[in-house]
């Protein structure tokens, strides 16, 4: 069974990975707007993902 500390660590790791991917995609759009014609129009997918901590389980 996964302990509470492990669950918190995994959740934080997932949040970091999501934030890194979002930042990388944003950098790509800024560097090459021709490849991403919708870069000037932010969508819901462009916003940073925040995961609520609802406690264990």
């Amino acid at each position: 069974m996964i302990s509470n500390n492990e669950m918190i660590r995994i959740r934080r790791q997932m949040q970091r990975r999501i934030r890194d991917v979002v930042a990388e995609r944003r950098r790509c759009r800024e560097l090459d707007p021709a490849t991403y014609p919708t870069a000037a129009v932010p969508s819901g997918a462009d916003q940073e993902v925040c995961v609520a901590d609802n406690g264990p389980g």
Side-chain angles (χ1 to χ4, degrees), residues 6-55:
E6 282 181 292
M7 198 63 161
I8 292 170
R9 182 187 58 78
I10 291 168
R11 185 179 293 123
R12 288 181 180 161
Q13 185 180 35
M14 287 170 39
Q15 289 172 341
R16 273 194 305 270
R17 288 181 181 175
I18 292 169
R19 192 170 50 241
D20 290 348
V21 168
V22 170
E24 178 67 24
R25 289 180 181 174
R26 185 177 295 131
R27 279 193 297 272
C28 287
R29 284 194 304 270
E30 289 171 356
L31 290 175
D32 192 4
T35 306
Y36 299 93
T38 59
V41 181
S43 68
D46 295 336
Q47 297 175 5
E48 186 172 334
V49 176
C50 296
V51 178
D53 185 5
N54 295 326

